[in-house]
Amino acid sequence: MTDLTQLTQPAHKLSRSSKMSQSLGRLLITIAALVAVWQGLIMLFDLPPYLLPTPLAVLEKLVQRYDVLLYHSWITGQEIILGIALGLSLGMLFALQMLLFKSVKRWLLPVLIASQAVPVFAIAPLLMLWLDYGIASKVAMAAIIIFFPVTTCCYDGLRNTPQGFLDLADTMQASRWQRLRHIQLPAALPALASGIRVAVVIAPIGAVAGEWVGSSAGLGYLMLQTNARMMIDEMFAALFILSMLSVALYFTTDYLLKKLIPWDL
Amino acid sequence: MRGAGISISIENASLQYHQATTPTLQGCTLHIPARQWTCLLGRSGSGKTTLLRYLAGLLVDQVSWQGTLIISDGQPLNGRIAYMAQQDLLLPWLSVVDNVCLSYRLSGQTITPDIQQQAQHLLEQVGLAAQCQSLPQTLSGGMRQRVALARTLMQDKPLVLMDEPFSALDAVARHKLQSLSFELLKDKTVVLITHDPQEAVRLADALYILNGSPAQAQAIAVPEDLPPRALSAAAAQIQQHIFQVLGQDYD
């Protein structure tokens, strides 16, 4: 008798690989369309290179100045990754504190909400003053900007554990710690994953904004410098790398989260 | 856990939620015999689940209780209960075998090879040995409830409280799981909440309908043959009687 699962498996693999090639195809077509529109705008309105360089000029800069671009990308990349790590750690810690200690929640929650009323850009100069022009102030900016979404998503996940799971844990005489470790924390992971997806999208904004306010390296710094010197093609090259960095970060994170947290509640 | 098992007698009990203005149960008297199946029927909101949750110790801070609750061995129920709900409550991040061993994890015990082997044996009994490393979301509804049954058996508690565990299954899967549960839980004192008179008549050693508002327990005589019963004229007659009693509560 033929095992049906054996018959369906290759079909499943085929459909997965065909899905991947379809996605790749869509991506290439989108990029080609954007480049065509870009080139078309330049030709249609006869735009000078200092307003909008051609895609080819930007590509040339990417090749010629790869060492400079790579150096500044490395700096910004570090700021983003460290900022995400710090913001995630703090966000999860705050969410846990609010879940475990009701009195802490009563004090922290209003402060947390009020902190969102202060624009991160407005406190950037202060961070430069307190943490210097190095990487620390940009890491802090990225961490601050992701702190709120991470905290709220994680806290929502923690306090919305399905009641049935908690009842089951109670009938099994679970301690508060065991309940948190084996039920509430894993149950909060899908919600936390949503927070992480938002975080990886907005963390680069915090890092680059920090570089704009005061820095000596990084893609934001490079964009400011090249803009001031009318090296618009290089500025676009830096912008292109920044966009690619953000997109790659999002899709990598999304892929990993789907692999690591394949369930939903 | 072998032995005489535990029976529970509830006499003239009243139960009221702290926020409610009227009691959910009042003057409720029923006897849950040891190592037998007691089925509770009643319309939605009649207080069946409330009573079960109270026995499970899940309503400690939420209700006030008056009346007598006598446990045959005089020991508290705390820690001697296994609970099986309508949803299988399998943790989606744990494999089937890890779900079966959940009570050990939650009590902070290390899962030893002996415990793993015991879980594997129970999974064999419920016909899911091959799926032991699968995640619950890859299983059908009937398979998931069988894993929940194995988890309940793994706890090995003398009292098993079941809140409509078969209601979400199709007729054939339900019938099979009823038979399997009855066979595997034969040493336990079981309280089963159900909306299905046929299920109640098939499985019950003792049968009560919670009706009225506030609800009281009305004992219903069951056929003389032993459960699980085949459909018979006597069983059909009792089912008809149950429908009539339940129908009064809807009027």
Side-chain angles (χ1 to χ4, degrees), chain A residues 164-165 167-175 178 182-183 186-187 263 265, chain B residues 53 58 78-79 81 83 89 91-93 102-103 105-106 108 137 151 155:
Chain A
F165 290 167
D167 287 347
L168 191 68
D170 283 349
T171 59
M172 290 179 175
Q173 307 279 293
S175 67
Q178 299 295 352
H182 293 296
I183 308 276
W263 68 89
L265 296 173
Chain B
R53 287 173 64 80
L58 296 172
N78 219 2
I81 286 168
Y83 182 68
L89 300 178
L91 302 180
W93 50 89
L102 183 66
S103 59
R105 278 173 189 273
L106 288 178
Q137 49 271 38
R151 182 187 61 203
Q155 287 182 258

Side-chain angles (χ1 to χ4, degrees), chain A residues 184-202:
Chain A
Q184 286 171 294
L185 278 175
L189 288 179
L192 177 64
S194 304
I196 294 174
R197 285 189 182 92
V198 174
V200 297
V201 171
I202 60 174

Side-chain angles (χ1 to χ4, degrees), chain A residues 123-187:
Chain A
I123 58 167
L126 276 177
L127 290 174
M128 300 303 142
L129 190 66
W130 293 337
L131 300 173
D132 213 349
Y133 283 81
I135 194 171
S137 51
K138 286 78 189 174
V139 170
M141 280 284 285
I144 288 171
I145 210 167
I146 70 164
F147 175 69
F148 186 74
V150 167
T151 308
T152 48
C153 284
C154 188
Y155 180 58
D156 271 351
L158 284 169
R159 73 195 176 113
N160 287 325
T161 310
Q163 188 58 44
F165 290 167
L166 298 177
D167 287 347
L168 191 68
D170 283 349
T171 59
M172 290 179 175
Q173 307 279 293
S175 67
R176 199 179 179 198
W177 161 242
Q178 299 295 352
R179 195 167 77 152
L180 179 68
R181 184 183 160 202
H182 293 296
I183 308 276
Q184 286 171 294
L185 278 175

Side-chain angles (χ1 to χ4, degrees), chain A residues 13-257:
Chain A
K13 275 183 186 167
L14 189 73
S15 83
R16 186 183 284 179
S17 71
S18 98
K19 262 185 192 172
M20 271 187 72
S21 60
Q22 275 181 1
S23 302
L24 197 67
R26 272 200 299 273
L27 182 71
L28 288 174
I29 290 169
T30 309
I31 290 172
L34 283 173
V35 169
V37 169
W38 179 358
Q39 185 65 46
L41 281 173
I42 291 168
M43 290 165 75
L44 188 67
F45 297 106
D46 198 19
L47 293 171
Y50 60 85
L51 279 185
L52 188 62
T54 61
L56 195 64
V58 175
L59 184 67
E60 275 173 8
K61 277 290 163 196
L62 280 170
V63 175
Q64 282 169 10
R65 301 271 290 165
Y66 79 94
D67 49 346
V68 175
L69 289 164
L70 208 61
Y71 166 72
H72 290 285
S73 304
W74 170 238
I75 302 289
T76 304
Q78 277 179 299
E79 292 164 0
I80 293 170
I81 299 295
L82 291 173
I84 289 172
L86 182 67
L88 270 179
S89 310
L90 287 174
M92 287 194 282
L93 194 70
F94 263 62
L96 268 175
Q97 296 290 318
M98 289 198 292
L99 180 84
L100 294 175
F101 309 107
K102 291 280 186 288
S103 56
V104 173
K105 181 196 155 190
R106 277 194 288 274
W107 285 94
L108 274 187
L109 200 58
V111 174
L112 190 68
I113 293 165
S115 73
Q116 287 306 293
V118 182
V120 183
F121 285 80
I123 58 167
L126 276 177
L127 290 174
M128 300 303 142
L129 190 66
W130 293 337
L131 300 173
D132 213 349
Y133 283 81
I135 194 171
S137 51
K138 286 78 189 174
V139 170
M141 280 284 285
I144 288 171
I145 210 167
I146 70 164
F147 175 69
F148 186 74
V150 167
T151 308
T152 48
C153 284
C154 188
Y155 180 58
D156 271 351
L158 284 169
R159 73 195 176 113
N160 287 325
T161 310
Q163 188 58 44
F165 290 167
L166 298 177
D167 287 347
L168 191 68
D170 283 349
T171 59
M172 290 179 175
Q173 307 279 293
S175 67
R176 199 179 179 198
W177 161 242
Q178 299 295 352
R179 195 167 77 152
L180 179 68
R181 184 183 160 202
H182 293 296
I183 308 276
Q184 286 171 294
L185 278 175
L189 288 179
L192 177 64
S194 304
I196 294 174
R197 285 189 182 92
V198 174
V200 297
V201 171
I202 60 174
I205 300 172
V208 171
E211 287 174 358
W212 282 347
V213 174
S215 62
S216 55
L219 288 171
Y221 164 82
L222 184 66
M223 285 169 72
L224 273 188
Q225 294 299 314
T226 48
N227 190 30
R229 292 173 194 172
M230 297 294 281
M231 297 157 71
I232 306 301
D233 43 5
E234 195 166 324
M235 191 188 93
F236 265 76
L239 182 61
F240 175 77
I241 289 181
L242 186 63
S243 309
M244 287 302 111
L245 205 64
S246 299
V247 168
L249 191 62
Y250 175 80
F251 282 110
T252 309
T253 308
D254 186 52
Y255 175 78
L256 288 175
L257 288 173

